[in-house]
Amino acid sequence: MPENTTQRRTTARAMIVLAGLFALAVPPTAIPARAAAADYYDAAAGLSGARLKDALHDVISTGTTAISYRRVWDALKVTDEDPSNPDNVILLYSGFSRAKARNGGGVGDWNREHVWPQSHGPFTTGTTPGTDLHHLRPEDVRVNSDRGNKDFDTGGWPAAGAPGNRTDADSWEPRDAVKGDVARMVFYMAVRYEGGDTRPDLEVAEGPTHGRTPLLGRLSVLRAWHEKDPVDASERRRNQIIFDRYQHNRNPFIDHPEWVDEVF
């Protein structure tokens, strides 16, 4: 291996360690949306199409740490903390702020929403992808149930308990403020999980998929949402916390939104 490559990787590893120590020492609300380690995406430089997708899969699958489904409760209280109230989390679809202590399965509680439904794999919550924080978000128990395993698409009737969301028999449309967030989570999952090691090969389909595995739609709509709702500071902050404190990998479509056109 050339000496300059070794030096770059050694430097990058040191940066990651320092970032982790900084994250542990600073309250979640104070963590800045710093960039990834300098050479995190070096393997993807200059690539496009299938070659880029393959390279990104390797990048975001190497050196990761899986967390337990039980630990997801505590992680979401950090990644989705309400910046205006550190005792609360922000629910993904409804946008409501709810007490962190109200996590559970009862009426008025919030639980762990799989943006990529478990049945569209299928996968369990025993290991990743069922515990992957990049697509797990807090949501009201009833709203989570109403979304179920529906594809993402436009149209339908107003969703109960989630202003700005719409749904019908087989699709769910989130509120405008998180349409891009949802799309980028779905794109991450389709790159991160490519089969092998007993994990499913997840793919974004034009759909509707009618719950078929391992597909999730609708691709053209998700692409439009990605363009309509660009990456914002809260999304970058969340990506950084997952990298620093939990899984030690990133959503490349948050760091490089332009790669959506190249891969999908």
Side-chain angles (χ1 to χ4, degrees):
M1 182 182 296
E3 183 178 356
N4 61 340
T5 300
T6 301
Q7 290 173 341
R8 286 200 306 271
R9 291 185 177 176
T10 300
T11 300
R13 281 194 290 268
M15 291 172 67
I16 292 171
V17 170
L18 289 172
L21 292 173
F22 178 83
L24 290 172
V26 179
T29 51
I31 295 175
R34 302 185 308 279
D39 68 347
Y40 186 74
Y41 293 112
D42 271 5
L47 302 181
S48 62
R51 292 180 64 203
L52 175 59
K53 184 179 181 182
D54 289 345
L56 290 177
H57 167 75
D58 290 342
V59 168
I60 65 178
S61 302
T62 302
T64 62
T65 300
I67 69 172
S68 69
Y69 199 46
R70 180 183 295 275
R71 193 181 177 207
V72 167
W73 286 122
D74 293 329
L76 292 181
K77 294 174 183 179
V78 177
T79 59
D80 293 80
E81 181 179 285
D82 182 348
S84 299
N85 184 348
D87 293 326
N88 287 13
V89 292
I90 298 294
L91 306 185
L92 174 63
Y93 300 130
S94 67
F96 296 149
S97 179
R98 188 156 301 173
K100 291 178 178 179
R102 289 298 306 270
N103 64 293
V107 175
D109 289 343
W110 62 270
N111 59 6
R112 298 158 291 189
E113 155 72 343
H114 289 82
V115 173
W116 191 294
Q118 290 176 250
S119 64
H120 288 251
F123 50 82
T124 70
T125 57
T127 57
T128 55
T131 66
D132 195 318
L133 289 170
H134 283 294
H135 83 121
L136 283 163
R137 302 294 292 267
E139 188 47 68
D140 176 81
V141 168
R142 178 182 174 184
V143 174
N144 191 347
S145 178
D146 288 347
R147 188 269 161 135
N149 69 349
K150 297 173 181 176
D151 288 308
F152 291 108
D153 203 350
T154 57
W157 51 83
N165 294 249
R166 304 183 72 83
T167 189
D168 58 24
D170 60 7
S171 71
W172 184 271
E173 178 181 357
R175 59 193 174 100
D176 289 347
V178 296
K179 278 183 166 69
D181 304 54
V182 166
R184 288 179 283 274
M185 285 186 275
V186 170
F187 294 147
Y188 162 87
M189 293 293 284
V191 172
R192 172 66 178 88
Y193 299 100
E194 293 278 69
D197 298 329
T198 71
R199 294 170 177 152
D201 181 5
L202 305 182
E203 298 292 345
V204 188
E206 185 54 26
T209 69
H210 302 293
R212 288 180 297 171
T213 58
L215 306 173
L216 186 65
R218 175 180 302 259
L219 175 58
S220 60
V221 171
L222 290 165
R223 282 175 51 89
W225 290 353
H226 166 68
E227 294 294 335
K228 180 180 180 180
D229 175 33
V231 176
D232 61 21
S234 64
E235 206 174 347
R236 287 189 290 268
R237 174 185 172 276
R238 190 176 196 277
N239 195 31
Q240 189 67 41
I241 291 172
I242 293 172
F243 178 71
D244 285 339
R245 299 190 177 195
Y246 299 106
Q247 296 177 188
H248 311 302
N249 73 339
R250 308 181 69 84
N251 182 334
F253 304 110
I254 293 175
D255 293 325
H256 289 274
E258 71 277 9
W259 281 344
V260 169
D261 287 339
E262 295 289 345
V263 175
F264 297 97

